[in-house]
Amino acid sequence: MAQAVAAAIDQRRHLIVQAGTGTGKSLAYLVPAITLGQRVVVSTATKALQDQLATRDLPRLAEALEHHPFEFAVLKGRSNYACRQRIDEIAGGDEQMVLDGGGASVRAGPLGREVRRLVLWAQQATTTGDRADLSFEPSETAWAQVSVGARDCPGAHRCPSGPVCFAEAARERAGVADVIVVNTHLYSTALAAGADILPAHDVVVFDEAHELEDIASSAFGFDVGPGRLVVLARATRPLLADPAPSVAVEQAAEVLKQVIAPYLGAALPRPLDEPDQERLTTVRERVSALQSGIRRAMKDEDDRSRHLRAQQSMTHLINDLDAVLNLDDDDVAWVEGTSYNPLLRVAPIDIGAALQDSLWSKPEGPTAIMTSATIAPRLGERLGMTPGSYDQLDVGSPYAYDEQALLYCPLHLPDPRDPGFEAAMHEELRALMEAGAGRTLALFTSWRSMKSAADALRDRAPWTILTQSDLPKPALIARFAGDEHSCLFATMGFWQGVDVPGTALSIVTIDRLPFPRPDDPLLQARRAKLGRQAFEMIDVPRAATLLAQGVGRLIRTRSDRGVVAVLDTRLAKARYRWSLINSLPPMHRTRHRSDVEAFLEPLRNGTLNSRAAPTPSAGSASSDRP
Ligand code: SF4
């Protein structure tokens, strides 16, 4: 992988690399980038990986590469840093700016106390202002009082606190670093804005690249909900002698809610119905009237910063409302959330085209390295890369999957769409738990399916069955890992990020192939655009990625050993099966439970260290490999 990354950098050619868990991916891209003297941005999807790079991999590498000294920095989105200007305003007695849900000052209440604690921390205890450096976890409401988002900040050159701004200082540190670690949302926002949010760089590495499509989609879009109007109304009220325009905007939140709530879970019609169009226009007019009111109301220089922030928020909001009122053919708008708190989201239907324009086709743009343990089929195409314009490589896994793991698909089960499937699947799951003496992570595609299996098996199995509703995720995983024979039943949040090495996790079961919901409005719009290719381009790759992530929970070290049971016979029968199977590590495959029992025998009788290769029965699915 390191050689391929070096060649990609040298030839300025984009590269996609699949590299299994435990490969040492971060070293394989960092070492060539640093030793070739390139400035590199590493973009991660999760905070866990960002932390791992900043606190473990990069410091170790800095020690090891003593002949190639380099600097590194972490850069986050603006709202992750305390805003010096807000801190000054609150500390200077800006009572009305600290508001509770009803708009009253809460300086004396619990929120006020929390905000004061944050103000003291920002003034005296931190040099970075980074929320991650806090020794306590603030509430979202309190943090919102002491920070600003990119859409509210007027920019350092127009802000009195610009010279001492924490976010600007982080940007300056990043500006002189050789390696800059960011998250993919920030990187995508920079691409969407077309602005120099990030320092110029030669190479960008998208680690956890399987998340890039969805994160970029969200960053290239925007959302509008009643909450945004309420926050704006309450932030502007203290700036006005006559509060009428801000009261009107707060009331418009209810109007917006009435327009969008009926479309919950669905796409907004195109064009909008006439009455909805009129009501949205009313919302826009009220924000515009507030903007004029604020412009007229600016009294003195002291107020200037607050006014600029309010103007900035209103300009963004008006632009977003205009975009909804004149929805582009290339965008889709849909409603998420709840009927009480609906959120209208807008995103480009074809994120590939947006990335092509903003990244791949830029002659002076960086060389992109995309890597993940699970690269779905046709990722490059879906991201808008021209065929032939990039290289792709699979460096495999450091684990001996053919010795360490067995993939089982019980062909005697009914099709998952058959009414008899659920009972038969529960029985199969029970038999597997018995074969492994517990030690099972059972992954489900829905809460309903998880609950029903837990209810059906709790009294029929001698092992503790933990479910996702029992405890928060870290505590649940610790409990599962600590009780050798327990079983954990969980849904989507556990298909990634569960790392339980050793024998406590020896079986992973998957109830159904994890295809995306057919009624997801964004995917529906993408399917409609792709026509007959949609299933191959959208549904199969997404199922393949999630399936590989679920399967990836099993083998976490070279001495782990276990069974993956996919209880959906479409894995062995459907015409698209090889796209899924080829996305998985190269395990022996079987359709016979007796093979599973034989494979798990050493675990049951306590001689696990036996490392004999599995011996699938005659007629097992292994002979079916293309
Ligand atoms: S530039 Fe000013 S308003 Fe913007 S984040 Fe920095 S201190 Fe806050």
Side-chain angles (χ1 to χ4, degrees):
M1 179 173 172
Q3 285 169 345
V5 170
I9 292 172
D10 186 47
Q11 293 157 21
R12 294 185 46 76
R13 222 173 127 72
H14 305 313
L15 174 69
I16 299 179
V17 190
Q18 174 162 293
T21 310
T23 307
K25 283 191 287 297
S26 54
L27 296 184
Y29 56 71
L30 286 170
V31 170
I34 293 167
T35 53
L36 288 171
Q38 304 287 296
R39 171 181 267 182
V40 58
V41 170
V42 181
S43 178
T44 74
T46 61
K47 191 174 170 307
L49 180 56
Q50 189 171 72
D51 290 346
Q52 180 195 311
L53 283 163
T55 61
R56 203 190 71 180
D57 298 353
L58 282 162
R60 284 187 192 174
L61 200 53
E63 274 180 39
L65 291 179
E66 56 185 28
H67 300 302
H68 289 276
F70 69 92
E71 299 286 328
F72 65 90
V74 176
L75 183 61
K76 302 178 181 177
R78 195 162 289 262
S79 61
N80 287 280
Y81 302 94
C83 165
R84 290 270 205 192
Q85 183 59 27
R86 287 293 297 126
I87 297 291
D88 278 2
E89 286 165 8
I90 296 169
D94 177 16
E95 298 217 6
Q96 286 164 301
M97 298 299 279
V98 184
L99 302 172
D100 72 359
S105 170
V106 291
R107 188 159 271 260
L111 177 59
R113 277 197 295 279
E114 209 184 343
V115 170
R116 272 203 305 282
R117 198 173 167 197
L118 286 169
V119 168
L120 275 180
W121 167 78
Q123 287 176 321
Q124 297 170 10
T126 178
T127 52
T128 64
D130 185 342
R131 178 178 174 165
D133 294 346
L134 276 165
S135 58
F136 60 99
E137 185 56 36
S139 67
E140 288 304 320
T141 323
W143 184 256
Q145 297 287 341
V146 299
S147 63
V148 299
R151 342 188 243 229
D152 310 311
C153 169
H157 56 290
R158 296 205 290 169
C159 170
S161 304
V164 290
C165 170
F166 286 128
E168 293 297 325
R171 226 175 136 244
E172 273 165 32
R173 285 194 296 276
V176 294
D178 306 287
V179 179
I180 304 148
V181 182
V182 302
N183 68 42
T184 299
H185 199 276
L186 180 64
Y187 197 90
S188 305
T189 303
L191 289 178
D196 58 346
I197 295 173
L198 298 173
H201 49 285
D202 311 300
V203 177
V204 55
V205 178
F206 292 107
D207 203 335
E208 301 171 320
H210 58 279
E211 304 267 13
L212 176 58
E213 189 180 9
D214 284 349
I215 296 175
S217 227
S218 148
F220 273 76
F222 61 87
D223 49 62
V224 185
R228 208 166 145 189
L229 293 168
V230 171
V231 168
L232 175 66
R234 292 181 184 172
T236 50
R237 199 171 307 167
L239 305 177
L240 295 164
D242 172 9
S246 109
V247 172
V249 164
E250 185 150 0
Q251 288 164 348
E254 190 55 35
V255 179
L256 178 65
K257 186 168 145 184
Q258 284 167 12
V259 172
I260 64 176
Y263 300 106
L264 196 60
L268 224 55
R270 185 197 297 256
L272 271 175
D273 294 341
E274 195 61 36
D276 286 343
Q277 182 96 18
E278 281 168 14
R279 285 191 290 175
L280 266 188
T281 305
T282 304
V283 173
R284 191 227 184 264
E285 283 168 356
R286 290 194 189 177
V287 179
S288 181
L290 177 60
Q291 190 171 37
S292 309
I294 293 287
R295 216 173 269 138
R296 283 194 302 272
M298 201 170 100
K299 296 187 292 285
D300 50 43
E301 270 307 300
D302 283 355
D303 267 351
R304 192 175 151 75
S305 179
R306 285 180 223 162
H307 280 259
L308 284 174
R309 284 204 307 274
Q311 292 290 353
Q312 185 84 357
S313 312
M314 285 182 284
T315 303
H316 278 289
L317 183 52
I318 290 170
N319 288 344
D320 290 350
L321 288 167
D322 283 343
V324 175
L325 282 162
N326 305 293
L327 203 59
D328 203 292
D329 281 348
D330 295 333
D331 288 339
V332 57
W334 74 100
V335 182
E336 292 183 355
T338 62
S339 53
Y340 177 71
N341 191 16
L343 187 68
L344 177 65
R345 299 197 59 189
V346 177
I349 296 174
D350 183 0
I351 189 61
L355 288 172
Q356 167 73 14
D357 290 348
S358 59
L359 183 59
W360 315 129
S361 66
K362 289 260 184 240
E364 299 306 314
T367 303
I369 312 292
M370 279 151 285
T371 185
S372 168
T374 50
I375 295 288
R378 306 173 80 168
L379 178 73
E381 266 177 86
R382 289 196 346 263
L383 293 173
M385 302 172 86
T386 315
S389 70
Y390 63 95
D391 294 315
Q392 187 151 353
L393 175 73
D394 181 351
V395 297
S397 161
Y399 305 139
Y401 269 95
D402 54 344
E403 287 182 16
Q404 292 179 250
L406 185 63
L407 173 61
Y408 169 51
C409 185
L411 286 186
H412 55 273
L413 288 186
D415 184 277
R417 292 157 293 190
D418 188 290
F421 168 73
E422 195 160 84
M425 185 264 282
H426 292 168
E427 183 48 38
E428 188 66 36
L429 182 51
R430 192 204 57 76
L432 288 166
M433 286 158 61
E434 193 169 310
R439 304 181 168 106
T440 300
L441 172 65
L443 296 172
F444 295 88
T445 44
S446 70
W447 273 84
R448 197 208 56 76
S449 182
M450 177 196 79
K451 258 189 96 334
S452 143
D455 291 347
L457 296 179
R458 199 163 261 134
D459 295 334
R460 293 172 57 204
W463 305 286
T464 304
I465 293 181
L466 303 162
T467 75
Q468 198 175 339
S469 35
D470 295 347
L471 286 168
K473 186 173 177 180
L476 197 55
I477 294 172
R479 182 101 174 261
F480 171 60
D483 176 355
E484 175 88 351
H485 295 282
S486 65
C487 298
L488 174 54
F489 287 24
T491 63
M492 283 304 172
F494 286 66
W495 290 58
Q496 297 187 60
V498 173
D499 186 11
V500 180
T503 51
L505 197 171
S506 298
I507 302 176
V508 172
T509 70
I510 286 167
D511 68 334
R512 289 164 190 257
L513 297 179
F515 284 111
R517 289 169 56 123
D519 59 352
D520 178 297
L522 176 59
L523 295 186
Q524 266 181 338
R526 288 187 179 158
R527 287 188 192 102
K529 190 157 182 167
L530 284 167
R532 290 160 62 88
Q533 274 194 307
F535 186 68
E536 297 293 327
M537 287 291 283
I538 293 176
D539 297 274
V540 171
R542 281 174 181 262
T545 304
L546 255 179
L547 185 65
Q549 282 167 353
V551 168
R553 300 311 100 215
L554 183 69
I555 302 297
R556 309 301 295 175
T557 68
R558 285 174 201 265
S559 58
D560 280 357
R561 204 162 180 277
V563 172
V564 173
V566 178
L567 308 177
D568 183 334
T569 54
R570 290 175 294 179
L571 184 71
K573 292 179 177 170
R575 72 178 159 72
Y576 51 79
R577 65 187 181 282
W578 288 114
S579 296
L580 301 181
I581 293 170
N582 289 337
S583 301
L584 301 179
M587 298 171 275
H588 277 277
R589 300 189 304 280
T590 183
R591 62 187 66 165
H592 301 287
R593 198 196 299 146
S594 54
D595 288 340
V596 172
E597 288 160 353
F599 188 70
L600 294 173
E601 179 69 33
L603 187 71
R604 279 198 310 279
N605 65 24
T607 56
L608 178 66
N609 287 339
S610 152
R611 292 285 305 276
T615 49
S617 307
S620 77
S622 299
S623 55
D624 201 15
R625 183 175 282 275

